[in-house]
């Protein structure tokens, strides 16, 4: 049976959030021919014939702890300028269908279930979704708000790890597009090592860090020592509120700093600051200040400003990952997929520079094409 004759599921963790809503609306709009697949790397020529599931074959669902229906959430995003005017109405049926497939997440305050009970319940939701829709396979992608890193004395798994464990138990490929722990919990090591599905990375690379991963190799290749690299992020919306928590912000910033340390050989002076500005809604401004040495010790400065919408930047990448992981699963691949490091601040191995990551990704497309 070919990829075009089957249907594939995407199960979002954080299914009613901005990223998942944008991806759901965007998938429907592109499949209907209403908009081009701007930002989707898998829709470019290097991926032709790689056997990726078409957008028209995707069935969407997920877990969330909020109850705002997807059509209403999409209307709010359109009012904020994230989605095109009129798009929520044009794809309302698809949004409503996906909303019907969203199940309560957790744990919420007062939930007395154990970690094992929660994992079992979450896995059962995913398995039921796959079975009812007669899907060939389902890919689970975490696009929920960033959670603080677990403390040394925490006796419970963080929510992201509960969902990740449920994905493996349900036999699903998995990607963690957030900085949250996910599969990286030591308590999941045995399950991860024995899993028979592909999984990829942590913390999607969409804006400021994407630019850092391009600029940092330039300084190395031109033999220009970086003395300091500081940054500031101004954002609102759900991410801004979540990252107002210093512990969550620290988890987020770790990925941004890791890109520089991996490329430059050591972390330069400077920090990244994240400020919650509710008036900005789902939009974001990221500013970087880079101090570096030139010939004969001349002091130089490079400043960059990145302005955009995180959910609109992330949504096409999330759809890319779902398609690539589904195809990887179909091809019998399992374990960490370093070839997908192009999409992550914290990849599962592979090169750190974006150009080299892209080369690895397109080579992976050749491998998938040969596996047909």
């Amino acid at each position: 049976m070919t990829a075009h004759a089957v249907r594939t599921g995407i199960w979002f963790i954080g299914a009613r959030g901005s990223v998942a809503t944008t991806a759901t609306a965007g998938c429907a709009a592109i499949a209907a021919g209403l908009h081009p697949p701007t930002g989707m790397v898998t829709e470019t020529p290097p991926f032709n014939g790689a056997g990726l599931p078409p957008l028209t074959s995707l069935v969407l669902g997920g877990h969330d702890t909020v109850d705002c229906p997807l059509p209403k959430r999409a209307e709010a995003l359109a009012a904020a300028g994230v989605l095109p005017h009129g798009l929520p109405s044009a794809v309302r049926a698809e949004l409503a269908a996906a909303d019907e497939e969203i199940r309560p997440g957790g744990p919420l305050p007062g939930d007395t279930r154990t970690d094992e009970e929660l994992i079992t319940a979450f896995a059962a939701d995913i398995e039921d979704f796959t079975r009812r829709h007669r899907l060939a396979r389902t890919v689970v992608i975490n696009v929920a708000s960033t959670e603080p890193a677990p403390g040394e004395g925490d006796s419970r798994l963080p929510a992201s790890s509960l969902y990740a464990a449920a994905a493996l138990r349900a036999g699903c490929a998995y990607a963690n597009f957030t900085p949250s722990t996910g599969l990286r919990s030591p308590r999941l090591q045995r399950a991860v090592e024995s899993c028979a599905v592909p999984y990829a990375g942590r913390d999607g690379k969409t804006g400021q860090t994407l630019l850092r991963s391009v600029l940092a190799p330039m300084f190395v290749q031109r033999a220009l020592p970086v003395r300091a690299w500081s940054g500031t992020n101004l954002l609102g919306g759900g991410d801004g509120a979540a990252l107002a928590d210093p512990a969550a912000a620290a988890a987020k910033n770790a990925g941004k700093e890791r890109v520089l340390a991996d490329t430059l050989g050591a972390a330069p002076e400077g920090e990244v600051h994240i400020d919650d500005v509710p008036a900005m809604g789902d939009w974001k401004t990221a500013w970087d200040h880079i101090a570096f040495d030139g010939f004969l010790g001349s002091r130089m400065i490079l400043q960059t400003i990145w302005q955009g919408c995180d959910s609109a930047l992330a949504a096409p990448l999330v759809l890319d990952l779902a398609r690539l992981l589904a195809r990887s699963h179909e091809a019998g691949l399992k374990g960490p997929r370093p070839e997908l490091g192009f999409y992550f601040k914290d990849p599962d191995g592979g090169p750190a520079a974006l150009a080299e990551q892209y080369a690895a990704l397109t080579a992976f497309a050749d491998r998938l094409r040969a596996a047909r």
Side-chain angles (χ1 to χ4, degrees), residues 52 69 93 129 139 141 193-194 256 318 332:
L52 305 182
F129 170 74
V139 178
I141 301 185
E193 290 176 348
S194 62
K256 295 177 180 291
V318 165

Side-chain angles (χ1 to χ4, degrees), residues 194-354:
S194 62
C195 77
V197 296
Y199 59 86
R202 181 170 67 170
D203 199 2
K205 184 165 55 184
T206 57
Q208 183 182 43
T209 310
L210 175 67
L211 193 58
R212 286 180 166 210
S213 67
V214 173
L215 291 175
M218 176 194 73
F219 288 106
V220 173
Q221 292 161 6
R222 290 292 299 271
L224 300 171
V226 174
R227 293 184 293 108
W229 198 317
S230 301
T232 294
N233 286 262
L234 307 176
L235 70 161
D239 274 352
L243 295 173
D245 178 350
K252 182 74 172 177
N253 286 338
K256 295 177 180 291
E257 294 166 357
R258 186 181 301 107
V259 168
L260 296 182
D262 289 348
T263 305
L264 300 176
E269 293 181 6
E271 298 178 345
V272 178
H273 298 273
I274 299 177
D275 294 329
D276 178 25
V277 184
M280 296 185 70
D282 286 280
W283 296 86
K284 174 181 177 179
T285 295
W287 169 74
D288 271 24
H289 182 278
I290 309 160
F292 64 99
D293 290 335
F295 190 55
L296 302 179
S298 57
R299 297 296 181 93
M300 302 188 189
I301 298 293
L302 173 64
Q303 294 186 8
T304 67
I305 297 176
W306 179 289
Q307 294 178 308
C309 174
D310 260 359
S311 57
L313 289 165
L317 308 184
V318 165
L319 294 173
D320 277 351
L321 282 167
R323 301 173 79 198
L324 288 162
L325 283 167
R327 179 68 183 104
S328 299
H329 196 187
E330 181 187 27
L333 303 179
K334 61 183 180 180
R337 304 315 322 160
E339 305 94 340
L340 303 183
F342 174 78
Y343 294 99
F344 296 100
K345 298 182 183 73
D346 187 6
D348 290 306
L354 191 69

Side-chain angles (χ1 to χ4, degrees), residues 46-51 327 331 362-372:
F47 297 86
N48 292 344
R327 179 68 183 104
T362 53
F364 187 51
D366 291 337
R367 180 179 178 184
L368 295 177
R369 192 177 295 110
R372 296 196 70 178

Side-chain angles (χ1 to χ4, degrees), residues 36-88:
T38 304
M40 289 192 65
V41 180
T42 54
E43 285 294 302
T44 59
F47 297 86
N48 292 344
L52 305 182
L55 296 176
T56 52
S57 76
L58 301 180
V59 183
L60 282 67
H63 281 116
D64 210 317
T65 57
V66 301
D67 56 10
C68 178
L70 278 179
K72 185 175 181 180
R73 184 75 180 97
E75 290 171 1
L77 290 175
V82 177
L83 296 178
H85 177 72
L87 182 60

Side-chain angles (χ1 to χ4, degrees), residues 41 103 127 216 254:
V41 180
R103 300 294 178 262
E127 290 167 346

